[in-house]
Amino acid sequence: MSHHSRPSTCRNCDHDLSASSEANYCPHCGQETVLHPPTLWEFVHEFITHYVALEGALWRSLRLLLLKPGQLTREYFNGRRRHYVLPLRLYLTTSFVFFLAVKLFGTGAAVPQQVVVKRAPAVQVAASGVPGSASAASAVTAASASSPAEASGAAEEAGELAAQQRCLDLPGSCGWFDTLIAKLVTRSTSDPARRAAWWPRLVGMAPYAVFLMLPVFAGLMKLIYWRRRMPYGEHFVFSLHLHSVWFLALLAADLLPAGLDDVAQLALPVYGVMSMHTVYGGRWLPTLLRAGLLSVVYGVLLVAAAAGLTLWVMLSG
């Protein structure tokens, strides 16, 4: 039997289709009643839409999300959900496009390979792997051809490197923080290839790190709006929508010419306050105060998370 013909029973669940012979989908399992051989475009479309919402609801959602701050969240709370992309899918779409653009076109991707650490000749000798006092002696000798100020600075930096090297050569001779700094300095100066590999790893792990911060942001929203008695899930929806806007604004800032990129970044705090006022209500002054407190606390947490991720990549790479 040809797949192009309409069968009398569903090919998937054998449900009788005689009572609904004109239906395009099986009323029992939902599979299409008329099938056709698969095409390459179908597989491409399925792969892309697995990561990015391309249906018409995406454009309706983006228009409402960007032009009416907070209204898309209110629409979700009010039960109008089928007309728009669901919050998690919208977040995954915007984050996927942003990090893909950063990985393929972002200027930051080329930074690690192009960074030139401008040090005095003495420091280059000290960082070459010669341990202990020999490093400092070689550094001072190499710096003798420089000016007195350069020689003094080079000797001081060489002494710091020698002290850091002793932390690694003699376990237990330094505190844990000094040992950690010594490891980071050694890895960042002794192996350029390893240093160049840090950025791709950071870019690859950043989406997961930001996603893990979403529940933290929602928790902060619940705390600052504790008297609203709103379920945690509603704060999480607001978090998804707001982070989606952040990704779009950062993408625009990266693609716009110089001067206009600042406009996209300056619009973020204004958008955040307006969306909070739309979703949570209340007077403008308390909303501004809550937004300021949220920015400070969440900013500190983001910096801490970014620093922790960077340290982990540097130490494990």
Side-chain angles (χ1 to χ4, degrees):
M1 180 167 52
S2 172
H3 282 195
H4 291 277
S5 61
R6 191 181 303 275
S8 57
T9 59
C10 175
R11 294 186 176 93
N12 182 59
C13 65
D14 295 326
H15 181 75
D16 186 10
L17 299 177
S18 57
S20 53
S21 58
E22 299 300 321
N24 293 323
Y25 298 92
C26 172
H28 185 259
C29 70
Q31 178 174 284
E32 299 91 336
T33 56
V34 178
L35 304 177
H36 58 81
T39 64
L40 177 61
W41 170 246
E42 286 183 345
F43 291 110
V44 173
H45 183 268
E46 181 179 356
F47 174 79
I48 295 177
T49 53
H50 179 75
Y51 296 99
V52 182
L54 293 178
E55 62 269 20
L58 173 64
W59 311 115
R60 290 193 297 270
S61 303
L62 289 178
R63 184 167 58 251
L64 189 61
L65 181 71
L66 296 175
L67 299 182
K68 295 184 177 181
Q71 190 57 42
L72 184 61
T73 307
R74 295 302 316 172
E75 291 287 295
Y76 185 87
F77 292 169
N78 294 331
R80 291 186 285 272
R81 303 178 181 182
R82 296 291 296 177
H83 196 61
Y84 304 103
V85 177
L86 294 177
L88 180 59
R89 187 165 178 79
L90 182 62
Y91 169 84
L92 294 175
T93 298
T94 55
S95 63
F96 174 80
V97 172
F98 172 76
F99 285 109
L100 180 64
V102 169
K103 193 167 186 177
L104 296 180
F105 310 111
T107 55
V111 170
Q113 289 84 354
Q114 296 173 355
V115 168
V116 177
V117 182
K118 297 182 178 180
R119 299 174 179 267
V123 180
Q124 299 291 350
V125 175
S128 63
V130 182
S133 57
S135 299
S138 301
V140 174
T141 302
S144 60
S146 305
S147 66
E150 290 178 345
S152 176
E156 181 179 352
E157 190 166 358
E160 293 178 358
L161 289 173
Q164 291 165 356
Q165 187 63 45
R166 283 194 295 272
C167 288
L168 300 179
D169 294 340
L170 301 173
S173 61
C174 302
W176 68 270
F177 185 76
D178 291 334
T179 303
L180 176 63
I181 296 300
K183 288 181 179 180
L184 294 179
V185 171
T186 301
R187 294 195 176 203
S188 63
T189 57
S190 62
D191 192 347
R194 174 183 289 173
R195 185 172 63 247
W198 287 345
W199 175 257
R201 291 188 63 197
L202 281 172
V203 172
M205 296 178 63
Y208 305 101
V210 176
F211 185 77
L212 291 176
M213 293 299 293
L214 286 170
V216 176
F217 185 89
L220 293 175
M221 293 302 303
K222 187 170 181 62
L223 287 176
I224 65 176
Y225 281 104
W226 182 259
R227 293 185 178 182
R228 295 291 193 278
R229 301 299 179 184
M230 296 171 60
Y232 175 82
E234 293 187 348
H235 300 292
F236 193 75
V237 170
F238 176 76
S239 176
L240 290 169
H241 283 158
L242 190 59
H243 280 73
S244 298
V245 174
W246 289 351
F247 282 127
L248 294 174
L250 292 174
L251 181 62
D254 192 47
L255 298 178
L256 289 174
L260 294 178
D261 55 345
D262 294 335
V263 177
Q265 298 186 45
L266 290 175
L268 285 179
V270 177
Y271 181 95
V273 172
M274 294 177 64
S275 60
M276 287 175 63
H277 186 264
T278 300
V279 173
Y280 295 96
R283 294 176 298 169
W284 280 104
L285 182 57
T287 300
L288 285 170
L289 295 177
R290 286 187 173 100
L293 176 62
L294 178 68
S295 299
V296 172
V297 176
Y298 191 59
V300 170
L301 293 177
L302 279 178
V303 170
L309 178 63
T310 303
L311 287 175
W312 187 85
V313 169
M314 293 174 69
L315 292 175
S316 63

